Amino acid sequence: MSNLEDSQIDLGDDCYLDLNGAVLMKDGKIRYLTPIAFRLFVYFALHVGETLTVEELIHRAWGKQGMVQRDELYVYIRKIRLALEDNPNAPKCLKTLRHLGYVLYPRLKETGGAIDQFESSGSGKSATEGVES
Amino acid sequence: MALYIYPDLTESLHRLWAAGLVISPWLAGIDGNARFDPEIHEFLHDRSRECAFIHWTEAERALAIGDLPAPERMAQIAVYETAASAAVNLAHQKTGELDVTEAMAFDALQRVENFINDHGFATLMQLYMLETCWENLNALRYFGEIPERDYVRGSWHRPWVDYSLGEEVLFAYSLGNIELEKRGEHRFVRLTDEGRRVLEKTTDALQRAGYFRYRLETLCVSQFNLFNNYDKTDRMVWPNAIDERRAFLEWVGIKAGMRVLELGCADGVLTFAAGLAERVGPSGAVVAVDPSTGMLARARGKQRRQEIDWVDFRQGKAEQLPVDEERFDIAVGVGYLHFTNRSEALQEMKRVVRPGGVIASLHPLKMDFTAPFFREWFAPILDLAAKREEKPRDYLLHPDEAPRDFKQAGLEQVEVFMSSSELVFPDAKNVVQHFIRGVGWFGEELAPLPWKAREDLIQELIERGQSVCARYSDNERRIAWPAQSIRARVPEEPSGKE
């Protein structure tokens, strides 16, 4: 049981990163990510609620010696949002903090205020329509 | 023979500015942080890509770069950078802040597309290449060499770029302007002799086109935009600021009921604290002008708090006053004249001041840098000038300049009053913030430096300042700064005309 938990990073309601499969599980469905998108995502997931700067994220994803620029990071932020957000154009989990960087918040399903994961998972509400790209 | 590929772009550059466009944002507050949200980046990036694919045709390539290999990504980047720079510039102009909204990004992109439709894609490409070529080669000359990684990411010389400069390396290499050297695991970019010659030609061309002056002016206004604590630092370094401004208004002869034009009003320090609005009173009127939106916002804030409705704040420059039919009894300001093109500014003031009316200025003059504490503190700047065997460049005036310009502008009864203001240097951070990041003193010395060199120098000024403040007493850290008050009359009758 503890092994199973170690291989997952919880991201809120009905949503976790599966470290063994290198995929995101959301509403019971598998979302595939590219290796760099997944590496970035894991870093975010280990620092939920913390502001992460662009420079820090580039280091994490491509290494300190990489020649990658911010525009490349934006591509991967977009990929993560497409997989994670219910509406990627109005992100609620992976938020931009202007001039500061990014911050990841746990997912809260809109189920009438039930924050506790067990309660909300029981509500059976699914809002995945049109998210896949 | 240097492979210099640019025609005379002076006119094109002026058209670019007229279209509200700039390339490479020489604006305060632009640094290694992202210029905007990824959403805006994505919008500009996608649209720039489309734009470049439509316009970067064989014919335009032939016009822009002749028989040289055509960089594919550089065309997109030229559009993107111009739109991104213009968007930040628009934010500065409209709000005095750095935040780019979607509407601004859209507006900026539209301006770029209009420019391309009016003047051709090749022209935009050439302007982009000329300006960034100067920025690149100038940095290489200054640093001697730049590690490839820092060069490609622009971190030493164009930290605002959010794309790779890799293709610019290839292009400059194919032109023979730069070379790469491998040492151990690292590679370094260096200038070739040819690159040095191209840099000279590029510098001449941009100088002739007025580029460096324009860049300095834009930077200066943007610094004032972000200069939130001007009110505070002004009084810290110039303890008698308010009394001396009041005395000047008295000398100029401002009275109740007059119609007064105030130049360079900043955050309204002369208007309110020094009592201009109060002197004129509700039976008169003040129109106060400043190019900085940020400063005007702070001035309007003071106005609301004081409930004074006979002052009208307007954005504009002295050379192009936002004044149509109105005529004034007096045009007056403190510390504005040295920021202007004086002959143009005086002609404009003459246009809007009634015959027999007064034009006046109080401004600081060039000073000797003899005080030991000052020499030690500002040595990095003094050294830049000493290397050229010159005095440090700044915008301050010699005592004979303003009187000569006033007379040449056809003004009469020119009167001058010389005084000196006591300036104090209380602490390193506020002094550097006020003089260097704020009012842009020595901008002429700092602007030609690559970005990192300029930032390093400013940091060094803060550190030196801390050491100087620890070793020199408060009393020793004072300077009697020469100042000049000048007033003159607009002739009663326009001479030689009926």
Side-chain angles (χ1 to χ4, degrees), chain B residues 140-430:
Chain B
L140 287 171
R141 181 186 54 183
Y142 183 89
F143 292 115
E145 61 182 20
I146 299 179
E148 186 193 18
R149 182 170 183 271
D150 291 301
Y151 190 90
V152 164
R153 295 171 40 109
S155 46
W156 288 17
H157 68 307
R158 288 160 65 189
W160 47 83
V161 302
D162 27 30
Y163 43 82
S164 160
L165 300 178
E167 219 178 52
E168 286 187 29
V169 173
L170 271 179
F171 193 64
Y173 184 84
S174 74
L175 291 172
N177 295 343
I178 60 168
E179 59 192 11
L180 283 113
E181 193 190 88
K182 175 180 170 292
R183 286 206 303 277
E185 288 182 346
H186 295 287
R187 305 192 334 151
F188 297 85
V189 184
R190 285 206 309 237
L191 213 51
T192 59
D193 289 340
E194 189 143 295
R196 236 170 275 277
R197 285 190 288 270
V198 169
L199 174 60
E200 258 172 56
K201 286 195 151 199
T202 314
T203 309
D204 283 352
L206 289 170
Q207 184 80 47
R208 254 183 289 122
Y211 171 71
F212 298 110
R213 220 195 66 196
Y214 184 84
R215 194 173 82 146
L216 195 60
E217 279 171 15
T218 320
L219 176 63
C220 199
V221 173
S222 70
Q223 290 198 173
F224 276 112
N225 279 341
L226 302 186
F227 194 177
N228 286 313
N229 58 350
Y230 169 72
D231 209 320
K232 184 182 129 208
T233 60
D234 180 57
R235 283 174 222 196
M236 282 176 95
V237 302
W238 185 13
N240 302 323
I242 302 303
D243 290 346
E244 287 174 23
R245 284 181 172 109
R246 276 183 186 279
F248 169 68
L249 290 178
E250 178 70 35
W251 183 75
V252 172
I254 288 165
K255 298 195 171 56
M258 282 183 160
R259 298 187 53 79
V260 177
L261 173 70
E262 188 193 340
L263 285 305
C265 63
D267 65 352
V269 57
L270 184 73
T271 335
F272 302 119
L276 172 60
E278 203 183 332
R279 263 173 190 273
V280 167
S283 62
V286 177
V287 170
V289 175
D290 199 280
S292 160
T293 321
M295 280 292 177
L296 289 173
R298 294 184 276 279
R300 290 189 182 112
K302 290 180 183 175
Q303 179 181 24
R304 275 193 296 276
R305 286 193 291 277
Q306 305 194 15
E307 296 179 355
I308 290 176
D309 64 1
W310 60 94
V311 179
D312 182 12
F313 288 102
R314 294 181 197 169
Q315 190 196 7
K317 348 191 318 184
E319 297 87 346
Q320 262 176 301
L321 288 167
V323 171
D324 188 14
E325 298 288 313
E326 304 152 279
R327 292 298 172 262
F328 298 92
D329 299 307
I330 294 185
V332 68
V334 173
Y336 72 94
L337 198 64
H338 56 283
F339 287 113
T340 66
N341 175 326
R342 291 188 301 284
S343 61
E344 285 178 23
L346 286 168
Q347 284 309 328
E348 259 299 84
M349 287 188 258
K350 222 175 127 186
R351 174 177 73 82
V352 302
V353 171
R354 66 164 169 82
V358 170
I359 294 175
S361 163
L362 165 59
H363 45 260
L365 296 174
K366 284 211 187 294
M367 72 150 187
D368 294 325
F369 308 105
T370 48
F373 91 89
F374 187 88
R375 295 199 67 83
E376 202 177 323
W377 189 334
F378 289 84
I381 291 175
L382 304 183
D383 289 350
L384 285 174
K387 271 186 210 149
R388 303 189 310 266
E389 299 181 355
E390 282 179 15
K391 286 193 168 180
R393 290 179 193 159
D394 64 19
Y395 46 43
L396 299 174
L397 305 180
H398 291 288
D400 51 348
E401 284 183 283
R404 187 195 61 208
D405 295 333
F406 270 57
K407 281 173 199 155
Q408 271 177 5
L411 300 173
E412 293 173 348
Q413 300 173 44
V414 178
E415 288 175 76
V416 173
F417 175 73
M418 304 292 278
S419 58
S420 97
S421 297
E422 185 177 66
L423 283 207
V424 301
F425 292 72
D427 72 284
K429 277 205 171 141
N430 280 307

